[in-house]
Amino acid sequence: MTVKTAGPGADERLASTGLARRLLIRPELGAVVGAVVVFAFFAGQSETFRSVDGVANWLDPASTLGIMAVAIALLMIGGEFDLSAGVLTGTTGLITVILATRYGFSIWTAMLVALAVALLVGFLNGLIVVRTTLPSFIVTLGTFLMLQGINLGVTKALTGTVQVSGLRRAEGYEQARAVLAGTFSLGGADFRVAILWWLGVTALATWVLMRTRPGNWIFAVGGDDRAARAVGVPAERTKIALFMTTAGAAWLVGSILALRFTSVQANAGLGQEFVYIIAAVIGGCLLTGGYGSAIGAAVGALIFGMADKGIVFLGWDADWFRFFLGAMLLLATLANRLVRRYAEEVRH
Amino acid sequence: MTGTGEPPAGADRTPSGAGAGPGADGAVPLLETRGCGKTFGGVIALRDVSTRVRAGEVTCVLGDNGAGKSTLIKILAGVHPPDSGEYLVDGAPAAFTSPRDALDRGIATVYQDLAMIPLMSVWRNFFLGSEPSRGWGPFRRFDVAEARRTVRRELRSMGIDIRDVDQPVGTLSGGERQSVAIARAVYFGARVLILDEPTSALGVKQAGVVLRYIAQARDRGLGVVFITHNPHHAYPVGDRFLLLNRGGSMGEYGKAEVTRQELISLMAGGAELEQLAHELSREEPPVKP
Ligand SMILES: Nc1ncnc2c1ncn2[C@@H]1O[C@H](COP(=O)(O)OP(=O)(O)O)[C@@H](O)[C@H]1O
Ligand SMILES: [Mg+2]
């Protein structure tokens, strides 16, 4: 039997793919370049910014944001959004404080209950999304509004105000605070323990993403859900697990903040949901899913932290922070779009 | 259809399909459909199609757009159960509830519309859903080094020349992509390889490359189901040709029973093509001189 063929798969595009391809497999590249530029910008003008105390100062907001951004990045690589994640940090904090201050729970049991609630919310988010195939944007917008209502309604009903406080008196407070909201000394400055949690979460997420089977599935369900199912990837389980991971991260951040401030505002976390997404996108995540990196999201959060505090150190009006965010987001999205175009262009 | 009234090589529609038992060569076919049909809402996508797939043979499924080719192979692949008729695997009725079930029985499918994930690297795609792992419990991990090594080796053994297994599949040409998908199916011990229009989006040269891998898979003893609407692609590699039109079977022919020319005219619905040729020829004289 003869096969009409013109020789073996000849390779005529060797030169054209080299560099672009290498950049492609490093989604966090843009964020790292951005971080270096932003650091150089502020460090060049502010003595405080580049001091050890300054570093400890701007790593602080980066850390709690970073934990969330990394979780959201995994979810976005898996092709979904979670708009309820910000408010959920408030919900979990409120649950912990209310149970520990009004119902005699120890801090740890209260946190455990808050974790269970968070995982349930994540599970329901995921279940509704995979079963209805509605866009997660809409589904979690619904959860977001519901949680917001609950946070305010329950807090007002219980306290008559819009905050719950007094966590300091709860059993196990000092212990829990040391683990989640304490500080450690390094180079003469006090760094927040949350920074270590941030690094830990980033390392774990990177390992899962790059070196485990579920990591491969996350890329696959975000890249092409149906194609992934066709080769036997448990797409529904993967997505539900991602929503639960995000919820778990929201619990961690909610607990960290509750322990640090010993009180929680009923509107805590509101508006943060977009900041997480922006950090993930700056870190190289595509809005369309299937591509991104946990390290990139962590670096995206770092850029936020630096800009947030750097603008204050320079004595500028904080309004400029918003402008800066917008500019970073636009730049990152444009860069990411090029990536996708390149990778998806069909070659014959 | 008017053109189906007089197929070449006699009206022997399914030469070996009359009896229910083993085929003419004595072996139980890997796959067999008996009068399979499928409707989607009001649309009859497939009706009363019977065919067999044997080891070491290429069964070509030919038909125009919308003929039901993809629907047939989705039944074979476990995506849809047939609404009517029987589907047998190794001579026993199959009750697949998902493509995974079919895959576990050695039936691998490369879909027309969902073959691989463009943003993922070649090696990640290759092992997707069947990743090799090492370690235990929470430390179980995707053996990345082994995966890369295996992919490189497998592609080379099939003569597929991919520069770098780390490159995203989206940066491969269409032919390369199909070739990787075929290599993947062969590697995972497929006994049946189903290919939905693997050559339709390809140029002549790239299509030739894919046809060569189809022949390779066949020579390794796989039963291949090759879907195409191009008789020029089907004829060189095919052993049997199943023709579909508007969801129905127009007959199945062995290679000995049909010539390339006959296949082409069958595909186009014989008389329709003649009619068309006639129409076009009348317009020619004014253009030519
Ligand atoms: N999932 C589906 N839902 C509704 N109609 C479908 C579906 N799949 C296929 N069809 C219809 O069935 C017919 C056959 O389609 P298909 O098997 O894809 O043809 P082919 O692959 O030969 O081009 C078409 O009319 C198509 O619109
Ligand atoms: Mg088709």
Side-chain angles (χ1 to χ4, degrees):
Chain A
M1 182 162 303
T2 52
V3 175
K4 52 173 176 127
T5 169
D11 182 5
E12 59 280 359
R13 301 173 316 281
L14 194 60
S16 68
T17 43
L19 178 67
R21 192 182 69 240
R22 268 173 223 303
L23 296 185
L24 249 183
I25 54 181
R26 295 258 63 97
E28 59 275 358
L29 181 87
V32 171
V33 171
V36 170
V37 171
V38 171
F39 177 83
F41 176 78
F42 287 113
Q45 301 180 66
S46 162
E47 183 94 37
T48 331
F49 187 89
R50 55 179 190 267
S51 71
V52 184
D53 275 320
V55 173
N57 200 301
W58 49 256
L59 281 180
D60 178 23
S63 64
T64 44
L65 168 59
I67 292 169
M68 288 312 294
V70 166
I72 289 287
L74 294 190
L75 182 67
M76 284 178 69
I77 296 169
E80 304 293 347
F81 291 99
D82 187 353
L83 296 184
S84 68
V87 172
L88 192 58
T89 63
T91 309
T92 51
L94 288 168
I95 291 174
T96 299
V97 177
I98 289 171
L99 290 182
T101 59
R102 298 184 165 251
Y103 296 95
F105 283 59
S106 81
I107 280 268
W108 297 109
T109 1
M111 278 174 55
L112 218 59
V113 173
L115 175 62
V117 171
L119 293 180
L120 181 68
V121 170
F123 177 77
L124 290 177
N125 273 337
L127 191 70
I128 296 172
V129 167
V130 299
R131 284 292 146 82
T132 62
T133 67
L134 285 170
S136 49
F137 208 81
I138 293 300
V139 171
T140 59
L141 182 62
T143 341
F144 159 77
L145 292 170
M146 286 162 68
L147 288 177
Q148 193 188 349
I150 291 176
N151 286 3
L152 277 162
V154 171
T155 309
K156 276 188 187 160
L158 284 178
T159 67
T161 67
V162 288
Q163 76 162 26
V164 288
S165 52
L167 194 59
R168 200 181 300 279
R169 294 188 305 273
E171 181 199 334
Y173 169 76
E174 291 303 332
Q175 215 184 4
R177 183 184 163 89
V179 174
L180 289 171
T183 58
F184 63 95
S185 287
L186 192 75
D190 281 341
F191 287 82
R192 290 279 177 188
V193 171
I195 296 166
L196 300 181
W197 283 98
W198 173 38
L199 295 177
V201 165
T202 308
L204 181 65
T206 303
W207 181 73
V208 168
L209 206 49
M210 305 308 286
R211 290 289 179 271
T212 69
R213 300 188 66 194
N216 215 35
W217 302 340
I218 292 171
F219 281 112
V221 296
D224 188 338
D225 189 66
R226 289 193 316 136
R229 282 166 210 258
V231 293
V233 171
E236 299 201 344
R237 266 198 290 147
T238 305
K239 289 200 169 180
I240 291 175
L242 284 173
F243 278 104
M244 291 177 75
T245 303
T246 307
W251 165 80
L252 178 59
V253 170
S255 303
I256 289 173
L257 295 177
L259 286 162
R260 180 184 300 180
F261 300 117
T262 71
S263 67
V264 180
Q265 302 289 324
N267 67 354
L270 187 67
Q272 289 296 300
E273 55 284 336
F274 279 111
V275 180
Y276 309 151
I277 293 173
I278 294 168
V281 169
I282 290 175
C285 284
L286 291 181
L287 290 164
T288 40
Y291 186 80
S293 117
I295 292 178
V299 176
L302 183 68
I303 294 178
F304 260 79
M306 289 194 290
D308 187 11
K309 296 293 175 181
I311 283 171
V312 176
F313 290 156
L314 292 190
W316 292 2
D317 194 295
D319 294 340
W320 286 103
F321 180 61
R322 292 270 140 187
F323 174 85
F324 170 84
L325 281 195
M328 284 298 293
L329 180 65
L330 264 184
L331 273 176
T333 319
L334 287 173
N336 292 352
R337 195 178 61 150
L338 290 181
V339 165
R340 191 177 178 91
R341 281 242 182 103
Y342 177 76
E344 294 214 316
E345 186 182 317
V346 178
R347 290 165 180 77
H348 294 305
Chain B
M1 287 310 303
T2 46
T4 55
E6 25 162 50
D12 188 5
R13 302 205 111 203
T14 43
S16 54
D25 55 1
V28 177
L30 295 171
L31 308 183
E32 178 174 2
T33 62
R34 291 185 192 157
C36 273
K38 180 80 198 170
T39 49
F40 294 105
V43 182
I44 301 171
L46 202 67
R47 87 187 104 82
D48 195 22
V49 171
S50 301
T51 189
R52 292 169 171 200
V53 179
R54 290 191 178 75
E57 275 190 12
V58 179
T59 303
C60 295
V61 180
L62 289 134
D64 218 334
N65 289 332
K69 306 183 295 297
S70 296
T71 305
L72 174 63
I73 66 112
K74 279 178 179 160
I75 290 173
L76 299 182
V79 176
H80 310 304
D83 291 336
S84 57
E86 272 189 294
Y87 174 27
L88 309 168
V89 176
D90 298 319
F96 296 149
T97 55
S98 78
R100 186 78 239 179
D101 292 348
L103 211 53
D104 291 342
R105 297 289 300 273
I107 303 165
T109 309
V110 179
Y111 295 95
Q112 175 180 22
D113 45 350
L114 35 98
M116 279 196 272
I117 296 167
L119 286 163
M120 290 172 77
S121 67
V122 172
W123 63 269
R124 280 188 177 276
N125 263 290
F126 194 96
F127 281 105
L128 186 58
S130 315
E131 297 85 357
S133 337
R134 46 189 300 189
W136 51 270
F139 303 106
R140 222 158 75 94
R141 58 196 185 277
F142 184 2
D143 192 344
V144 169
E146 173 65 19
R148 282 206 179 89
R149 235 188 340 267
T150 309
V151 171
R152 238 177 252 128
R153 187 185 64 227
E154 286 304 308
L155 294 184
R156 204 172 303 134
S157 85
M158 289 212 41
I160 300 168
D161 176 33
I162 300 283
R163 298 173 293 280
D164 178 0
V165 295
D166 275 305
Q167 73 189 97
V169 158
T171 63
L172 298 179
S173 71
E176 286 173 327
R177 230 177 292 180
Q178 292 289 343
S179 306
V180 172
I182 293 171
R184 172 170 71 177
V186 171
Y187 173 75
F188 283 109
R191 300 182 302 140
V192 180
L193 178 60
I194 302 172
L195 303 163
D196 192 4
E197 308 226 13
T199 56
S200 64
L202 306 183
V204 175
K205 192 171 155 189
Q206 290 274 346
V209 172
V210 172
L211 292 178
R212 168 182 291 217
Y213 299 131
I214 292 175
Q216 276 223 22
R218 176 204 60 205
D219 293 345
R220 290 185 180 207
L222 278 77
V224 181
V225 182
F226 172 28
I227 288 87
T228 178
H229 58 240
N230 189 335
H232 296 288
H233 291 167
Y235 199 77
V237 286
D239 296 299
R240 313 195 52 77
F241 305 94
L242 169 69
L243 282 98
L244 296 183
N245 189 18
R246 299 183 183 212
S249 170
M250 297 201 304
E252 187 176 349
Y253 305 93
K255 185 140 193 168
E257 301 164 326
V258 67
T259 65
R260 183 191 297 239
Q261 208 49 50
E262 286 164 343
L263 203 58
I264 294 168
S265 73
L266 265 173
M267 270 281 305
E272 280 176 20
L273 192 68
E274 273 168 36
Q275 172 72 26
L276 186 67
H278 191 59
E279 275 175 34
L280 294 177
S281 68
R282 264 193 292 187
E283 312 225 336
E284 251 175 314
V287 187
K288 254 194 170 170

